[in-house]
Amino acid sequence: MTAFSIVLLAMIAAFLGMRLYSVLGKRTGHEQEPVLPRRDERAPPAPVRLEDGETQSPSVGAPDTSGLVYEPAAEIGLRQLLASDRNFDAGRFMEGAEAAYRMILEAYWKGDRDTLRDLCDDDSYEAFVEAIEARDARGEKLENRLVGIESAKITAVEMDRKEARVTVRYQADISAITRDADGKLIAGSMSDASRTDDLWTFRRAIGSDDPNWLLDEIEAA
């Protein structure tokens, strides 16, 4: 079993006009190589995997929202998703979504195309590869590290007859530096973490035998 399959067992299109953004999230501190390529607001979106397992319902309707894995605005969409997929579990999904967040970031930073291929839809994968190739052409290397995820919650769920899309808001701290071909520091500091605040949208075909959720879109929160 592959590493990404294990991660997403816990749970976890073609678009025009796609372009890369210069950073992942709202960053403070040093300007440098993008943490992650992104697309503009009009472009839809890379991958998460849902475990085949016992039927569990998301913790929808709990009176205390402070400990929930979703924001109140997502409750209606979660109920609709559960009605279409009785095996969906919001808590298990978020466990996988957090793991996928780390795996996708690290794969991009390392230039690991194989992992990205399995975790992203076609257009997201192409965006990552384009950014990696541009970085390689400049002879630059990233030495980034995900310090920690401060918060991760489902913010929205969209349903249609063919597909479900789940958006997760990640607030995380990332230390990042960029070096040139000679190993000289270009930008960043491993001791100066930057806060990111982003929305990642994952999609999956409704009724598909494939339990995989694919990362479809990234945008700043």
Side-chain angles (χ1 to χ4, degrees), residues 188-203:
S189 169
M190 294 303 287
S191 61
D192 183 16
S194 298
R195 173 60 57 88
T196 65
D197 190 353
D198 293 273
L199 299 171
W200 288 34
T201 299
F202 300 92
R203 66 175 181 83

